Amino acid sequence: MKHITPCQTGPDMFVLLVLSLIARAFPSVTDCGQGKSIFQITELAFPASLQAGATANLTLQYMAPVQVENGTITTKVTYNFIPLTPTASLLCASASCPIEIGFHDGSTSVTVPTGLSGTIVSNIVWTDTAGSQLLCVQMSVKVTAQKRLSLPRWL
């Protein structure tokens, strides 16, 4: 029986190790608050790739150490590295207000429009009425085109 040491596992294991490290280093969703956010994100998840037209779940759980009456959600999006026009909306249009002290589940579903293919990066920032950053989430997703039905060659 041949004994294999960790250094002799071959190129396949090396590739898997590198891909695993890259996946951990560049997750599809991150807390971009950089220590400046008032809310502490406790759980965050989003798929790294989707098919156009598919619906994905964004898991967002956070701890609010202060009560917030209202605020603004600012969203910046790039599509294939092209920045789109940022949008701003009232926080309470998307979240139940007031946001009371404690743990909250801000999870939601996102449907990717059909006809898209490429990389979408979204940066979502919640601020209170005084302009203080409540939380910041950045999502990056690779979108593949919807599969088209192919017709038989004789048609």
Side-chain angles (χ1 to χ4, degrees):
M1 179 186 292
K2 183 178 177 183
H3 178 69
I4 298 176
T5 64
C7 294
Q8 297 173 330
T9 56
D12 292 336
M13 287 303 292
F14 177 74
V15 170
L16 289 174
L17 175 63
V18 169
L19 290 175
S20 174
L21 291 173
I22 290 172
R24 287 187 185 118
F26 301 104
S28 62
V29 63
T30 58
D31 177 355
C32 52
Q34 300 174 345
K36 299 176 186 173
S37 297
I38 295 172
F39 293 173
Q40 292 88 39
I41 295 176
T42 57
E43 187 173 349
L44 195 56
F46 193 73
S49 62
L50 289 170
Q51 186 174 7
T55 300
N57 295 321
L58 167 65
T59 301
L60 170 61
Q61 296 181 359
Y62 60 93
M63 168 59 176
V66 297
Q67 181 168 309
V68 174
E69 299 299 325
N70 205 343
T72 304
I73 298 175
T74 304
T75 304
K76 296 177 184 176
V77 177
T78 61
Y79 174 57
N80 289 331
F81 308 103
I82 300 169
L84 305 178
T85 303
T87 61
S89 60
L90 290 175
L91 176 62
C92 294
S94 298
S96 299
C97 288
I99 298 174
E100 297 180 354
I101 295 171
F103 287 95
H104 297 272
D105 187 348
S107 300
T108 189
S109 294
V110 178
T111 300
V112 178
T114 58
L116 295 182
S117 178
T119 303
I120 299 173
V121 178
S122 301
N123 187 286
I124 303 163
V125 179
W126 290 10
T127 54
D128 63 15
T129 54
S132 299
Q133 183 172 293
L134 300 173
L135 63 79
C136 180
V137 173
Q138 183 168 1
M139 298 181 297
S140 179
V141 63
K142 176 74 175 164
V143 178
T144 55
Q146 266 184 320
K147 294 183 180 180
R148 297 182 182 164
L149 295 175
S150 57
L151 298 174
R153 289 189 161 184
W154 64 85
L155 290 181

